[in-house]
Amino acid sequence: MGKTWPSTTLRSYNGVCVTFVAGTGLLQCPSEVKQAMLLLIGDYYQNREAGTASEKTIEAVERLLWLERVF
């Protein structure tokens, strides 16, 4: 915010490099979120022909993630 691009970099190839960091990082990710991801990915892998996760897996993932919700 409040920044301007240097005029010398606007015309050069790859003159500007943007670094964007999002999320909480792997070391700070709560164990419930990791477990929910593993459950969902494993279910998708086991049932890859169906293209959807089972209802039991979805319910388990929702319960694991409930406390991590931001309202």
Side-chain angles (χ1 to χ4, degrees):
M1 301 177 92
K3 304 285 183 176
T4 58
W5 295 105
S7 60
T8 57
T9 60
L10 292 178
R11 290 188 173 80
S12 64
Y13 182 73
N14 289 335
V16 177
C17 177
V18 176
T19 303
F20 179 78
V21 178
T24 61
L26 292 176
L27 298 177
Q28 298 172 349
C29 186
S31 61
E32 291 84 3
V33 174
K34 290 180 185 178
Q35 186 62 40
M37 290 171 50
L38 291 172
L39 276 172
L40 196 55
I41 292 167
D43 192 271
Y44 279 137
Y45 182 77
Q46 289 292 327
N47 302 310
R48 54 189 173 269
E49 293 176 0
T52 58
S54 69
E55 288 187 31
K56 288 183 180 181
T57 300
I58 292 173
E59 184 179 340
V61 167
E62 287 176 351
R63 287 176 185 240
L64 281 169
L65 297 179
W66 181 255
L67 296 175
E68 300 299 325
R69 292 182 63 165
V70 177
F71 295 97

